[in-house]
Every structure is written in C-alpha cells, then in structure tokens.
Amino acid sequence: MLAEETIQPAIEEYQKKNGEFVGELSHREKFYSGEKKMKKALVAMSGGVDSSVAAVFMKEKGYDVTGVTMKLYNNEDIHMSQEKTCCSSSDIEDARSIAQKLDFPYHVVNFKAQFKEKVMDKFVKCYQCGITPNPCVDCNRYLKFHALDKRAQELGCELIVTGHYARIRYNEQTGKYELLKGVDESKDQSYVLYHMTQEQLAHTMLPLGEYTKEEIRKIAEENELINAKKHDSQDICFIPDGNHTAFIEKYTNQKAGKGNFLDINGKVIGEHQGYYRYTVGQRKGIQVNRAGRHYVLEIRPETNEVVVGRNKDLFSRELIATDFNWISGEAPEKPVRISGRTRYHQPLTEGMAQVLDNGDVKITFDEPIRAITKGQSVVLYDGDVVLGGGCIFKTEKLHEM
C-alpha cells in the first residue's frame, strides 16, 4: 500500500495557504431564510448555457447583476490550440454577448496564478505521488468559492451565483445552511461542492438546482440566448483531449520512465511505460505475460511499479478520508448512517461513517465498491442533503495483497 505519509504532503501542501472561510454565519445578510433579499450578485459565467440562464434568473428576480469570467490559463500553458479549450476567447465573447443582451456589466478576471498553484501544480504532483486527483473539486474550492468571493467583495457584490446543478436551503430548525443534490440526478453536481462552508453557503445562490438540463435549454431558447444549443464541456478543462500523461510530460518537461508490472504476489509479469499513466481500476494499456484481463490495483511511485490483478481484487468496503469537511461545521460525535459515493455520478452506497481522533473519517460501506482510489473524493449524503466529504487516502481491499 502507498504509505499515508506519501499522500498527506501532497494534500497538506495545498491547504497551508488556503485562507478558507471559518467562524460564525455570515457578515453578509441571510437570504434563503427570507430575512432580507440581497440586491448585488456576481454571476460566474463560463460562456456556456447553464451560467447564462443563471444570469437570466437573477435579472428576472430583480438582482443587480455583474457577470464575470475567470481566465484560468493561457493555451500555451497547457499546449493546446485555442479552439479546443473552455474559457477560450470564443467562450468569453459568448459570455460578454449574454451580458450585453441582458444589460449588465461584465468583467474578465485573471486567476491564472491561483489556478496554476491550486489546480494544475497539484494535479501533476498527485500523479507523481501515485494519487489520482480531482481538479474539479479543487477549482470549485479555491477559485469559484474563494478567489472569486474576494473579487465579489471588491466589486461590492453580496452574492456569488453559479450554474451548478445543486441546491442550497436554510434549515430553520438547526439554524444551518444545507447543500442538496440537484433535482436532475443526471446532472447533479453536489459531489464537487462538498467543501463549501456555512459562510460560503450563506452568500451563494444556485438557481439551476430546481431544474433539469432540458428545461434550462428550453429557457435559453425562449430568451434567444446565442449559446442555447452549445455543447457541454466534458473533460478536465485544461486537458480537453483527455491525455493526462502527455499533459504531465509537457508540463514538467520530463518523460515517464519504464517500470515493472507486478502480480499480487510481487512477481514481475510485464513492463509499463510510466506509472503515472495509470489509475486504480484501469485496464487499458496493460500488457503482461498472463492470460485474461488485468486491472491496476496499486501504484508504487517510490519503486516505479504498478501492481495488477483480477477484477475481483478491486473491491473494498472500507476507506479512510482526510481533509474532511462537514458542511454543518460540526462533526458527529458518534458513528452515523450515511450513503456515499467515491466517484462523480457513481450510484450511492449505504454505510457507516465514524470520525477518528485525528479528525479523519472512517467509512464502512454495506456493500463492496469497485476501485476506490486514493486522491479521489468520498462524499456523504443523508437523502438529498450533502453531509460532507474528504480526500481518500487509505482503503482496505477484500483480497489483501
């Protein structure tokens, strides 16, 4: 198993200077409780249909809207042509066009340095440590709901508005804000928002959470938005072709070194072309001198080895997650029943969660889950309500090696 001490620095290095919101509910006024309606809202606009319709909703509700697009990288930084990436010049022009049509001010903000440090550098370092990162979680955590909030304050905006398919509500009984799944299960994005705090939820609006994607496109067409039929982005924004190995090699100017494939008993059964080409559960690219299908079980960067085995060897019931965020701001004192997922859009599995003495969380699922992967996020739910989530750094296989 990859040692915990190998994983922790890759996580902690990017937590030291995060400056996240802490403390009591908001210096800004609560709006979900109905105490007072906010007027100035900063809408994060990617140039896509979702954020554009979010802006339409805010204008219809009478908010004083300002639109903003985050410039996260130059194309030369990611070695891609302009046409293949999101937040390209055409995306910016689409967002600007929507702002002009709806008659509100629009800005492009330069977050390239923050994105490089918090997302791209971390992405590369995680793969180099044998961990599979989740850059969408990091982008939301550090850019959309931290750096952008600072810019909102500079512009005098009380609210951050995004086009995520998720919901926020204020619970009068508990006095807490809650994050909920979007009603469109196929588009639900609550998984990537589990790091949100009470402070952030108190001044965020997610107006698309009550709608399906089909309804949003229909609203866009009714409002004659130029991007009503624009395709959704599918891949990691800075790796639109999906080739993370090529990205890492160009980003670091280093080629992956060859190493050995091992079976679960430690016997060499083949040669790989670089350990960070692989992630747990992967079958593609495995050439070994054994019959049958083989899958990646473990990555050992310290020895440049990749352990492979059969599909049955991938299943686990237990994991431990670190850097855990409980959205209520309060960790449960006793083990609690949960449902959880360890990958985006994975079916939920029921189980138990227990907070350990050091704040990490041990999760035991009722049924085995395939390919639980270090570096990915585990997110816990109670029905539609997101309880919280953290970064997976340890798993217990049903068939230990």
Side-chain angles (χ1 to χ4, degrees):
M1 294 289 183
L2 186 62
E4 175 183 342
E5 55 266 25
T6 304
I7 297 175
Q8 290 285 25
I11 298 170
E12 291 174 358
E13 180 175 337
Y14 290 89
Q15 314 305 319
K16 291 178 182 177
K17 297 182 283 185
N18 60 41
E20 291 179 350
F21 299 105
V22 293
E24 296 298 320
L25 268 182
S26 175
H27 60 284
R28 302 177 184 183
E29 301 156 271
K30 302 173 183 176
F31 62 94
Y32 279 104
S33 62
E35 292 179 15
K36 185 178 179 180
K37 186 178 181 180
M38 290 296 183
K39 293 303 295 179
K40 299 195 72 173
L42 186 70
V43 181
M45 303 182 69
S46 65
V49 63
D50 294 330
S51 56
S52 298
V53 173
V56 169
F57 285 159
M58 298 307 290
K59 285 288 289 186
E60 288 179 346
K61 292 176 182 178
Y63 287 87
D64 182 1
V65 172
T66 297
V68 63
T69 297
M70 299 183 295
K71 182 66 175 176
L72 301 178
Y73 49 80
N74 293 322
N75 284 76
E76 54 267 27
D77 296 333
I78 63 170
H79 307 280
M80 278 287 164
S81 65
Q82 187 76 15
E83 300 79 32
K84 294 183 178 181
T85 63
C86 79
C87 297
S88 64
S89 59
S90 62
D91 292 320
I92 290 172
E93 287 309 309
D94 285 348
R96 193 188 310 276
S97 175
I98 298 297
Q100 291 173 347
K101 177 180 178 62
L102 299 177
D103 192 26
F104 59 77
Y106 171 78
H107 306 275
V108 178
V109 294
N110 184 350
F111 286 160
K112 290 184 288 187
Q114 296 96 318
F115 190 77
K116 181 181 184 302
E117 176 190 359
K118 300 297 187 182
V119 181
M120 292 198 295
D121 286 355
K122 180 179 177 181
F123 179 88
V124 170
K125 182 166 185 177
C126 282
Y127 267 108
Q128 290 175 332
C129 291
I131 306 166
T132 303
N134 199 326
C136 293
V137 169
D138 292 325
C139 184
N140 280 290
R141 181 179 185 179
Y142 296 115
L143 279 298
K144 284 194 177 80
F145 296 104
H146 180 59
L148 193 58
D149 181 83
K150 289 185 175 181
R151 188 57 55 92
Q153 294 184 51
E154 293 171 5
L155 294 171
C157 296
E158 294 93 347
L159 296 173
I160 295 287
V161 181
T162 76
H164 287 99
Y165 287 85
R167 295 172 288 163
I168 298 171
R169 75 181 178 197
Y170 183 72
N171 188 320
E172 294 281 1
Q173 292 184 331
T174 63
K176 300 284 187 179
Y177 288 89
E178 296 174 335
L179 175 67
L180 292 84
K181 292 187 289 186
V183 298
D184 187 343
E185 288 277 355
S186 68
K187 291 294 182 181
D188 171 47
Q189 293 174 297
S190 60
Y191 177 86
V192 298
L193 302 179
Y194 72 84
H195 265 295
M196 292 191 73
T197 66
Q198 287 291 299
E199 176 74 15
Q200 292 165 340
L201 292 171
H203 57 83
T204 299
M205 291 189 75
L206 308 176
L208 272 56
E210 300 287 348
Y211 295 84
T212 66
K213 181 72 177 197
E214 183 179 350
E215 290 171 329
I216 292 301
R217 287 205 181 275
K218 183 177 179 181
I219 292 168
E221 290 177 0
E222 290 172 349
N223 284 271
E224 299 180 344
L225 302 187
I226 61 171
N227 52 13
K229 296 182 179 180
K230 190 173 183 177
H231 292 299
D232 295 336
S233 58
Q234 299 292 334
D235 301 298
I236 297 171
C237 70
F238 55 93
I239 313 179
D241 63 357
N243 190 340
H244 77 271
T245 302
F247 171 80
I248 293 171
E249 290 180 345
K250 290 175 181 177
Y251 196 80
T252 61
N253 199 28
Q254 295 178 345
K255 289 285 187 181
K258 296 180 180 181
N260 291 324
F261 282 124
L262 308 179
D263 67 12
I264 59 175
N265 297 312
K267 184 176 180 179
V268 176
I269 58 174
E271 184 180 74
H272 65 72
Q273 302 301 309
Y275 68 87
Y276 56 76
R277 293 175 179 268
Y278 304 94
T279 185
V280 171
Q282 179 175 332
R283 184 168 71 89
K284 184 178 179 181
I286 299 175
Q287 296 181 345
V288 295
N289 57 13
R290 298 277 177 87
R293 294 179 174 180
H294 284 71
Y295 303 83
V296 175
L297 305 181
E298 183 186 351
I299 299 165
R300 298 175 178 173
E302 62 275 13
T303 56
N304 194 19
E305 295 170 327
V306 177
V307 181
V308 298
R310 303 303 185 179
N311 188 61
K312 66 180 178 63
D313 300 320
L314 283 168
F315 288 84
S316 310
R317 290 183 62 241
E318 290 186 357
L319 66 84
I320 296 177
T322 193
D323 187 29
F324 207 93
N325 177 58
W326 295 96
I327 286 181
S328 69
E330 300 173 356
E333 297 180 357
K334 298 179 181 180
V336 292
R337 290 291 298 176
I338 54 88
S339 58
R341 56 171 53 107
T342 60
R343 290 180 185 269
Y344 206 0
H345 293 309
Q346 181 188 66
L348 290 168
T349 302
E350 294 187 355
M352 297 291 295
Q354 178 183 2
V355 180
L356 305 179
D357 291 341
N358 64 354
D360 291 344
V361 178
K362 179 180 180 180
I363 299 160
T364 305
F365 292 104
D366 295 348
E367 301 293 334
I369 294 178
R370 184 183 184 277
I372 297 177
T373 304
K374 297 169 187 176
Q376 290 289 290
S377 299
V378 58
V379 180
L380 308 183
Y381 296 80
D382 178 8
D384 284 348
V385 177
V386 182
L387 298 175
C391 181
I392 300 166
F393 77 86
K394 185 177 182 181
T395 65
E396 296 294 334
K397 294 286 192 301
L398 293 180
H399 303 276
E400 281 297 335
M401 292 176 280

